[in-house]
Amino acid sequence: MTEIGLKELDKDSSQPFIRLVSKLCCEAAGVAEVHGFPGTLPLTLSRRHIDMICHNDYVLLEKSDGTRYFLLILENHAFLIDRKYSFYPIVPKPPFPLPNEAMNSTVQEHHETLLDGELCVNLATDTWEYLVYDVVAIQGDHRIGQKNYRSRMLAVEDWVVRPRLLAASTAGSLRIRIKDVYEKTEIDRLFSRIYKNEDRDYVYENGHRFDGCVCNRNDGLIFTPVQLAYPLKSCSALLKWKYPLYNSVDFMLFIEVDGGNEEDPRNIHTYLGYKGDRGVVRYREVFFPSSLKKKWAESRLEHHEKIIECSYDRMAGEWRYLRHRTDKTTPNYSTTVMDTLESTAESITREELIDRIKKNTKATKPTLSQRRPSWKVFELFVELPYMNSNCFLDRR
C-alpha cells in the first residue's frame, strides 16, 4: 500500500483472516458463500433511477476520491483490506476501545469488527483519514449488517468513533471518522459544499463538524437506500453519480509492439479489455497519445494486462486514460461498460439532479433516527481537550 506505507501480509498468513471476513459478510447477508472481495459496489446512476430515488427512502453521501478498504479490527490486530483481498496490517495497531470502557485505564478492545470505508487525504490538515460509510459487523455480531442504513451508521458512531474520541490513547493514530450523510432533500446543501480548487479538482469541504474539518477530493455522489441490509457485491439499488467528464470504466490494458521496435509509436498498439462471462474480452484498439504508449511499451511488464481507468470523451469519440488502478486485478464487467456509456450519453448535470429530486420528493415526518442521526449531535455533550465549550457536532 503506497498511501501510508503499510506492507502487505503474505498470502498464506492472510488466509485465516480472509475466511473470517467472508464468514462475517455471509452471515450478515444470509448467504452460504461469497467468492472474491465481498464489499458492496454501486451501479451507475441513469435517468431511469431518479423516480426510484424520489419515491423510496434514500440518503446521500459525497463520493470521495480516495481508495476503498475494509477495516478489520481484531483484539491484537487491525487490517486495511483492498479490493484485491490483500491485507495490510496497521502497525502499530490503533486503539479501538469499546464504549463502556473508553474512559477506564484497562481498556477492552474491539474484536471481529468489520467496517467499510475509504482512505482519503484531508486537504485541510494534509493527513490521511479513514472515512467510514458502512459496517458489516461489530464485536462479531453480524446482525448490525442486517439493520437499516441509519441504524448501522448510528452503531458505528456509538461503538467505534465516539469511544475513540474520548480515549486519550488514540492520539496520533490513524484517524477514523464517519462520512457526512444527507437526506435526499438536502441535495442542494450537499452540492453547496463541493467546489473546484485552483487545480480544477472537485473538493468536498465541511468545516462545521465538532471533530474538525472534513476536506477531500470529490468525484460525485452516492445514493444509498436506507431500508436495505448491507449488500454484497454489486447492488442495483445503490447508485453512484459522477460529473459527466468523470464517468469512467476500469479496463484491462493490452500492449503489442510490432517487430519489437518501441521507438516508433506507430508500431505500438494498445487495446482495452472488459470482463465477460468467460473471462476478459478484448474490446478494441484505442489510440492513446504517442508519449504515453512509448512509456508503457518501454516498461511493458509493468503495464501489460494491468487495470487502467478511462473516461469516454464524447467530443473526440475516444477513451481517455485517467490512471492505473493498482488496487484492482480484474476489469469492469460488460454491463458496467454499457451503464457508463449510457450515463455519459445522458450527461445528467447537478442542476437536473437538484431540480428533479427536490420537486418529486414528498416531505415526510422524520423518524426517530432522522431526528437524532449520528452525524448531527451527541445525546450527551462531552468536552474534549481540543474543543471549546460551545463546539457541538453540527454538519449544517
Side-chain angles (χ1 to χ4, degrees):
M1 176 192 294
T2 58
E3 291 100 332
I4 56 176
L6 301 182
K7 295 182 178 180
E8 182 181 351
L9 191 68
D10 67 84
K11 297 301 181 184
D12 290 338
S13 300
S14 65
Q15 290 306 308
F17 304 116
I18 289 178
R19 289 193 290 270
L20 173 60
V21 171
S22 297
K23 170 179 171 289
L24 292 173
C25 290
C26 287
E27 289 174 344
V31 299
E33 60 180 359
V34 61
H35 300 285
F37 183 74
T40 185
L41 296 171
L43 300 185
T44 301
L45 174 79
S46 67
R47 284 195 175 91
R48 68 178 183 273
H49 296 119
I50 295 179
D51 282 345
M52 178 178 72
I53 293 169
C54 292
H55 295 99
N56 290 278
D57 194 2
Y58 269 81
V59 291
L60 310 182
L61 292 81
E62 64 92 13
K63 187 177 183 300
S64 304
D65 187 13
T67 306
R68 190 264 187 85
Y69 291 97
F70 270 164
L71 175 56
L72 175 63
I73 307 165
L74 305 175
E75 188 173 7
N76 298 313
H77 303 280
F79 300 96
L80 289 174
I81 309 164
D82 66 16
R83 290 198 278 192
K84 295 186 293 186
Y85 235 157
S86 298
F87 283 68
Y88 298 89
I90 304 176
V91 181
K93 176 186 176 289
F96 287 95
L98 291 171
N100 293 335
E101 306 293 334
M103 304 301 287
N104 294 348
S105 56
T106 57
V107 177
Q108 184 180 356
E109 291 280 309
H110 270 265
H111 184 61
E112 295 189 0
T113 292
L114 183 60
L115 306 176
D116 200 354
E118 286 184 296
L119 192 64
C120 300
V121 174
N122 187 317
L123 301 176
T125 61
D126 196 27
T127 56
W128 289 97
E129 298 178 337
Y130 184 77
L131 302 180
V132 183
Y133 55 67
D134 216 329
V135 57
V136 176
I138 293 179
Q139 283 296 93
D141 188 351
H142 63 270
R143 292 174 299 178
I144 183 60
Q146 299 170 349
K147 301 292 185 182
N148 69 58
Y149 186 74
R150 291 191 181 91
S151 297
R152 297 201 301 272
M153 294 301 283
L154 283 169
V156 173
E157 181 193 13
D158 292 340
W159 283 81
V160 181
V161 174
R162 191 187 308 184
R164 294 192 86 246
L165 282 171
L166 301 178
S169 60
T170 62
S173 63
L174 177 65
R175 200 167 187 196
I176 315 295
R177 309 176 78 183
I178 292 179
K179 294 198 75 168
D180 290 331
V181 182
Y182 295 79
E183 296 302 320
K184 59 188 175 184
T185 53
E186 297 178 300
I187 185 171
D188 51 344
R189 183 184 299 277
L190 170 52
F191 270 125
S192 73
R193 291 179 171 165
I194 299 173
Y195 61 90
K196 278 189 175 182
N197 64 10
E198 57 187 15
D199 297 323
R200 306 300 293 169
D201 294 324
Y202 286 100
V203 173
Y204 171 80
E205 183 173 4
N206 179 6
H208 301 282
R209 289 174 50 135
F210 83 98
D211 58 348
C213 179
V214 170
C215 183
N216 51 259
R217 289 183 177 85
N218 168 271
D219 61 5
L221 304 185
I222 297 291
F223 294 79
T224 302
V226 172
Q227 299 305 324
L228 284 187
Y230 183 89
L232 303 187
K233 301 285 190 173
S234 296
C235 175
S236 59
L238 180 65
L239 302 165
K240 63 180 177 182
W241 172 87
K242 287 187 174 184
Y243 305 97
L245 291 177
Y246 285 12
N247 273 320
S248 62
V249 175
D250 296 329
F251 287 111
M252 181 170 284
L253 174 67
F254 297 94
I255 305 170
E256 294 182 359
V257 182
D258 291 340
N261 182 6
E262 302 169 354
E263 295 301 319
D264 189 345
R266 292 174 297 182
N267 295 330
I268 304 172
H269 304 280
T270 49
Y271 301 85
L272 298 179
Y274 59 84
K275 188 176 181 181
D277 291 335
R278 298 183 180 180
V280 177
V281 179
R282 185 175 289 198
Y283 173 38
R284 66 169 175 84
E285 184 173 4
V286 175
F287 299 96
F288 291 115
S290 297
S291 58
L292 193 59
K293 293 200 296 184
K294 287 185 67 175
K295 176 183 175 182
W296 289 344
E298 288 170 359
S299 52
R300 185 172 180 273
L301 291 178
E302 296 179 16
H303 304 288
H304 180 63
E305 295 187 351
K306 297 299 189 290
I307 307 302
I308 62 171
E309 183 178 354
C310 299
S311 64
Y312 190 76
D313 188 330
R314 293 191 306 154
M315 302 302 294
E318 190 56 276
W319 290 98
R320 301 298 189 193
Y321 168 78
L322 297 178
R323 58 172 174 161
H324 271 62
R325 293 300 303 265
T326 57
D327 59 324
K328 298 186 69 177
T329 56
T330 57
N332 284 145
Y333 199 71
S334 56
T335 53
T336 301
V337 179
M338 295 302 297
D339 287 345
T340 302
L341 288 173
E342 180 181 305
S343 179
T344 302
E346 289 184 343
S347 192
I348 303 173
T349 65
R350 56 193 287 172
E351 291 76 20
E352 179 182 349
L353 276 178
I354 293 172
D355 181 67
R356 291 191 62 180
I357 289 176
K358 289 187 73 70
K359 278 185 177 179
N360 296 300
T361 298
K362 294 181 179 180
T364 57
K365 185 177 181 180
T367 64
L368 177 61
S369 62
Q370 288 173 310
R371 290 197 298 270
R372 190 246 142 183
S374 62
W375 46 87
K376 282 189 178 176
V377 67
F378 278 161
E379 288 180 89
L380 176 63
F381 175 72
V382 179
E383 185 172 355
L384 301 177
Y386 55 86
M387 295 164 55
N388 60 47
S389 59
N390 58 5
C391 180
F392 288 82
L393 173 57
D394 176 18
R395 70 181 180 86
R396 297 178 181 276

